[in-house]
Amino acid sequence: MTGGSRGIGRETVSRLAADGFAVTVVYAGRTADAEAVVEEVTAKGGRAIAVQADIADEQAVVAAFERTEEEFGGVDVVVNAAGVMNPGTPLVELSLDEFDRIHRTNVRGAFVVSQQAARRVRAGGAIVNFSSSVTRLRQPGYSAYGSSKGAVETMTLILARELRGRDITVNAVAPGPTATSLFLDNNPQEAIDRLASAPPLERLGTPGDIAEVVAFLAGPARWVNGQVLYANGGIA
């Protein structure tokens, strides 16, 4: 599980552990947060380890998979939730350095993780990438982030077809506005209130809402394959 130390990722780790999965929490730099997630899982009788890795670094990702295989005996589910964003900057003002930073993690990182997952996940397993409802909403200020997630969706759907005959499902989850620190800290209150009122359900999503969708794709959803599931309360 990449991006498992905070927000949606952390809630997903807890949800998968509750379903009986042993979980590797792959994190970029927040060691204390990752260790806290592991402690939370183990305190409830689950199994988890934390591994630091830059998901765009092939060797670091290989090492994370190898550590998982050594610790737990194999890989059945890979959830790639790690990502970065920089909302609010119009395309005409966005620097190429910032564009490259976003695409390095969101596109290259998704490719590296998906490639290793495709090589290692056992039959009956699942690969779950994270997209975003930005690919449908197309709000101004999200050109770099939205284009990166569009690439993730395409990559995910193609990989599902490339794994024909392997009994491995490959899907993407596309959350809408969700009450995480990433969202709340990067948006003014006016925008938060507006987005919270936009879905027919008239609220922001919660990390638990998204974790339920991931758990579905990771476990019982064996006939859902090559799909993007938009978990956004009907906003798009």
Side-chain angles (χ1 to χ4, degrees):
M1 170 88 208
T2 74
S5 64
R6 301 175 68 204
I8 292 170
R10 179 170 185 155
E11 189 68 26
T12 301
V13 168
S14 296
R15 182 66 174 78
L16 293 177
D19 285 348
F21 287 100
V23 184
T24 298
V25 180
V26 179
Y27 67 99
R30 296 177 180 271
T31 302
D33 290 343
E35 291 177 348
V37 179
V38 170
E39 291 174 7
E40 179 182 302
V41 169
T42 55
K44 295 178 180 178
R47 294 186 296 161
I49 59 172
V51 178
Q52 186 173 20
D54 171 2
I55 65 165
D57 181 333
E58 182 180 23
Q59 294 309 309
V61 172
V62 168
F65 273 91
E66 290 178 346
R67 174 74 190 285
T68 301
E69 290 171 335
E70 291 168 2
E71 189 76 22
F72 301 129
V75 179
D76 295 301
V77 174
V78 173
V79 180
N80 181 39
V84 296
M85 68 188 309
N86 181 17
T89 305
L91 184 150
V92 71
E93 298 174 8
L94 190 72
S95 72
L96 284 176
D97 285 345
E98 186 64 5
F99 179 89
D100 288 342
R101 182 185 75 88
I102 291 169
H103 278 246
R104 182 181 186 277
T105 295
N106 294 358
V107 181
R108 179 187 167 101
F111 179 88
V112 171
V113 172
S114 294
Q115 187 174 68
Q116 290 302 315
R119 293 171 177 173
R120 297 169 186 267
V121 169
R122 298 183 288 202
I127 299 170
V128 183
N129 282 319
F130 264 65
S131 179
S132 168
S133 290
V134 167
T135 60
R136 281 189 175 178
L137 297 171
R138 303 181 183 95
Q139 305 106 309
Y142 287 84
S143 58
Y145 180 73
S147 62
S148 75
K149 291 306 185 179
V152 170
E153 290 187 6
T154 300
M155 190 187 312
T156 299
L157 304 187
I158 290 173
L159 181 59
R161 288 150 181 76
E162 291 180 346
L163 295 186
R164 173 181 290 274
R166 293 272 305 278
D167 190 24
I168 297 170
T169 62
V170 188
N171 295 287
V173 178
T178 305
T180 65
S181 58
L182 179 66
F183 174 78
L184 298 174
D185 293 345
N186 283 282
N187 286 281
Q189 190 60 48
E190 178 277 327
I192 294 170
D193 294 341
R194 174 170 44 80
L195 289 168
S197 65
L201 297 177
E202 295 188 329
R203 66 173 176 85
L204 294 174
T206 68
D209 292 328
I210 311 306
E212 288 291 339
V213 178
V214 177
F216 172 65
L217 293 174
R222 298 309 304 166
W223 197 234
V224 179
N225 188 32
Q227 304 298 315
V228 179
L229 270 64
Y230 289 86
N232 58 33
I235 196 172

